[in-house]
Amino acid sequence: MFPATIFDYNGVLVDDEVVHLEAFRDVLGPLGITVSEQDYWERYLGFDDAGAFRAIFADRGRTATDEQVRSLIEAKRPRYLERARGTLRGFAGASALVRRRAEAGPVAIVSGALRDEIALGLSVLGVTANVMAIVSAEDTKHSKPHPEGYLLGIDALTGSLGPRAAQAVVIEDSVAGVEAAKSAKLACVAVTHSYPREELQKVGADLIVDDLDAITDSALAALAARIGI
């Protein structure tokens, strides 16, 4: 069995992408920039805030300075939190899966979300105490599909697992997230909350499921055996 589990956050544990889209619209609207739902899902879903803002500007022939990106991130933060409080909901089976995986070994979160956003979601799910480490947007220089976040996740798990931390399994939902996990040489289970099975398969997900309830101990044991963990 895998000795540890690393969860993505947005789109895996909490269903908050619409909240993010509306928060992006809140801060970009005054700048004359609109983001359609189709563009968000097809173009910007895998980015952290900094990467998304830069990509949104670039797609419109504009350049965002580092200072402007930092300002937009800080402007979006309270907008997200205001919208999320009281309305944030977890995906079916999310809380139970985190608790079950925590019984099997350490659990970490690696996400492009901000730390206070992740903290809010874990509190809503009631699993704060089950998560040993969090790697958030503030901890990385590169967003997914770059593997930096997952490599930092392995580092965070190494203190308790040693070299076996590199045998952790990742739970992802996005194409960029699967690419990041595989670039970090980690096994990856992808759930079809955000992308169709075919796209997740193309980027190398080791197991694809339609919901979190399908990530059973037996399914993970079979995957671990198949890839030689």
Side-chain angles (χ1 to χ4, degrees), residues 2-84:
F2 298 101
T5 310
I6 306 176
F7 287 91
D8 178 40
Y9 173 69
N10 310 104
V12 170
L13 298 178
V14 295
D15 187 6
D16 68 342
E17 294 297 355
V18 172
V19 180
H20 275 289
L21 173 57
E22 293 305 322
F24 275 116
R25 287 171 166 171
D26 286 342
V27 298
L28 290 170
L31 301 178
I33 296 174
T34 60
V35 180
S36 71
E37 187 170 341
Q38 181 177 354
D39 283 345
Y40 180 76
W41 284 93
E42 292 182 358
R43 179 80 180 94
Y44 310 122
L45 187 65
F47 289 111
D48 61 13
D49 284 352
F53 281 123
R54 289 192 179 96
I56 289 167
F57 272 68
D59 287 347
R60 287 150 185 82
R62 299 166 66 171
T63 300
T65 66
D66 290 345
E67 182 178 354
Q68 189 173 25
V69 169
R70 286 192 294 269
S71 176
L72 287 168
I73 291 171
E74 288 309 310
K76 176 179 173 284
R77 182 196 302 265
R79 299 285 188 162
Y80 172 91
L81 293 173
E82 287 167 11
R83 290 177 178 276

Side-chain angles (χ1 to χ4, degrees), residues 145 172-183 186 188 190 195-208:
E172 263 288 354
D173 73 302
S174 72
V175 166
V178 174
E179 289 177 326
K182 296 312 297 179
S183 292
L186 292 166
C188 184
Y195 287 86
R197 177 177 293 267
E198 294 75 18
E199 292 190 39
L200 297 167
Q201 189 171 31
K202 284 179 184 177
V203 292
D206 297 291
L207 175 66
I208 303 171

Side-chain angles (χ1 to χ4, degrees), residues 95 98-99 101-103 105-109 118-119 121-134:
S95 297
V98 172
R99 293 189 184 108
R101 293 307 303 155
E103 291 176 358
V107 166
I109 304 291
I118 298 169
L122 296 181
S123 176
V124 168
L125 293 172
V127 296
T128 301
N130 302 105
V131 175
M132 189 194 83
I134 296 173

